[in-house]
Amino acid sequence: MNSGSQDKYVHAGKLGEVVRLEAQAKAFGRLLEKEFEIIGLKTGMKVLDAGCGTGAVARKMAAKVSPGEVYGIDIDSLFISEAKKLATNEGMKNIEFELGDVDDLKHHDGTFDVSYCRLVLMHVKNPVKTVTELKRVTKKGGIVAVSDNDDGGVILYPEMPKMIDIWAKYGRSAKKRGVDRYIGRQLFSIFSQAGLSSITIYPLPIHATQQTPEMLKMLVSVPVQIVEQCKENMMKEGLVTIEYYEEAMKEVQAFLSHPGAFAMGLFFLAVGKVP
C-alpha cells in the first residue's frame, strides 16, 4: 500500500490479515500461474512486487525466476516482518523484502525486467501516479503488470442475497474511503494515461464447484473474512445488524453444503511495455 492510502486500508497491521492474505494466495494459485505465464516470467529476471503484503505472491515469483531476484515492498511493517519469516522458513535465497511506498520507490530508473502489483491499485489515491512510478523503475522494453479485481463479475449459485447485500454495502463503504473494488475495468485507461505501450487487458475469471470443495471454500472465504474483519465498523455505521450478519453467515454455510454450488469472481490483468 502507499503511504497516502494506509489510513484507508483498515486491515493493515493485523495478524488476521496475514492469515487471510496467505489463504487468498493459495485460493488463487491457478490464477497466479496464468498471470505469470501471460507476463512471461522466466529464469534470471529481476522482478518487483509492489505492495507485496505477506510475500505470498512474491515467493511464487521467486521460485519461477530463480536464480533471478524478486524484491517485495510494502508500507506495512507487520506484513514485511511476516514476509521475511515466511521466505526464510521456505529457504528462499533470491528474495528481499523492505518497507516502501509504491508511489515513491527507492529503486533507480530502469531497475527491473518486470514490475508487478496485485490487488493494490484499488487502494491508492492516484492509480495513474502509481503505475507511472512502476514504469519509472522498469527497464525500457520491460513489462509493467497490474492485477486487480472487479466485483461486477461476481456470480453465485445458489444465490446468497444477504451476504451479497452486505458485500455490496462493504464495497460502497470502501468507496467512500477511496477503495475502488471496480477498478479492474479501468486498467486500460490507467495504463494509457501512464504512457505505457502495447497494452493488453486480460479478463481472468476464477471459479470453483463442489468438484473441488476446498477450493470452493477458500474462494468464498476471502470476502467472508474481509466482512468479518469489518463487521464492527459496518455495524457502527448502521449498515448491518448482528442478526442480519448472522443470517448471512447461515447463507454461506448453506451455500458451501449445496451439491450444485458454483462461485465465480473476475480479475483483470493489465500488461504494458515501457517505451
Side-chain angles (χ1 to χ4, degrees):
M1 305 304 151
N2 75 344
S3 57
S5 64
Q6 185 168 358
D7 61 324
K8 300 171 187 173
Y9 191 63
V10 297
H11 314 300
K14 297 180 180 179
L15 284 172
E17 181 67 353
V18 172
V19 175
R20 190 191 72 80
L21 289 173
E22 288 294 311
Q24 178 174 267
K26 184 177 180 182
F28 297 157
R30 287 181 296 177
L31 179 65
L32 290 171
E33 287 298 323
K34 182 65 175 178
E35 289 187 0
F36 296 167
E37 178 185 337
I38 292 170
I39 294 168
L41 289 187
K42 59 186 179 181
T43 298
M45 280 184 163
K46 190 171 185 177
V47 179
L48 172 70
D49 182 5
C52 64
T54 60
V57 176
R59 297 196 306 274
K60 292 178 182 291
M61 286 181 152
K64 282 281 184 185
V65 304
S66 181
E69 299 171 311
V70 173
Y71 292 78
I73 67 103
D74 200 280
I75 197 69
D76 189 86
S77 58
L78 174 63
F79 292 167
I80 290 298
S81 176
E82 291 298 314
K84 289 178 179 179
K85 291 177 187 176
L86 290 165
T88 298
N89 291 343
E90 292 184 19
M92 309 208 77
K93 306 291 186 182
N94 64 325
I95 188 167
E96 291 188 20
F97 293 103
E98 61 184 21
L99 285 173
D101 183 339
V102 297
D103 285 344
D104 186 19
L105 297 167
K106 299 176 183 177
H107 301 281
H108 297 299
D109 294 3
T111 298
F112 300 100
D113 298 299
V114 174
S115 292
Y116 171 89
C117 70
R118 189 167 202 282
L119 301 177
V120 172
L121 281 199
M122 70 170 74
H123 297 286
V124 303
K125 284 185 176 179
N126 186 337
V128 174
K129 178 181 179 181
T130 302
V131 174
T132 300
E133 180 67 351
L134 294 178
K135 183 182 75 169
R136 180 188 68 77
V137 299
T138 307
K139 297 176 182 177
K140 289 185 177 181
I143 294 293
V144 174
V146 168
S147 176
D148 229 307
N149 75 329
D150 193 304
D151 280 354
V154 174
I155 297 176
L156 299 169
Y157 177 81
E159 294 182 359
M160 294 188 284
K162 290 184 175 65
M163 180 59 201
I164 290 300
D165 179 49
I166 291 176
W167 186 238
K169 287 176 178 176
Y170 166 77
R172 290 193 292 271
S173 177
K175 180 69 173 177
K176 292 177 182 177
R177 301 191 305 271
V179 179
D180 190 348
R181 297 198 58 84
Y182 295 85
I183 200 166
R185 65 191 68 182
Q186 303 168 46
L187 292 180
F188 177 77
S189 176
I190 293 166
F191 269 47
S192 297
Q193 292 177 70
L196 291 162
S197 65
S198 303
I199 302 165
T200 306
I201 306 297
Y202 300 87
L204 298 173
I206 181 170
H207 75 278
T209 68
Q210 290 294 11
Q211 293 181 102
T212 54
E214 286 303 311
M215 175 63 180
L216 182 69
K217 184 177 180 180
M218 282 193 291
L219 188 58
V220 174
S221 73
V222 171
V224 169
Q225 289 172 359
I226 291 175
V227 168
E228 170 67 23
Q229 291 179 5
C230 295
K231 69 177 181 181
E232 290 186 8
N233 285 335
M234 292 180 71
M235 288 176 190
K236 289 178 182 177
E237 293 174 16
L239 298 176
V240 65
T241 64
I242 186 62
E243 293 79 13
Y244 195 76
Y245 174 82
E246 290 174 350
E247 289 174 6
M249 292 303 103
K250 289 178 182 177
E251 284 183 346
V252 172
Q253 293 307 313
F255 174 88
L256 291 173
S257 63
H258 192 285
F262 173 87
M264 190 190 88
L266 183 61
F267 290 82
F268 288 90
L269 174 68
V271 178
K273 286 188 178 181
V274 177

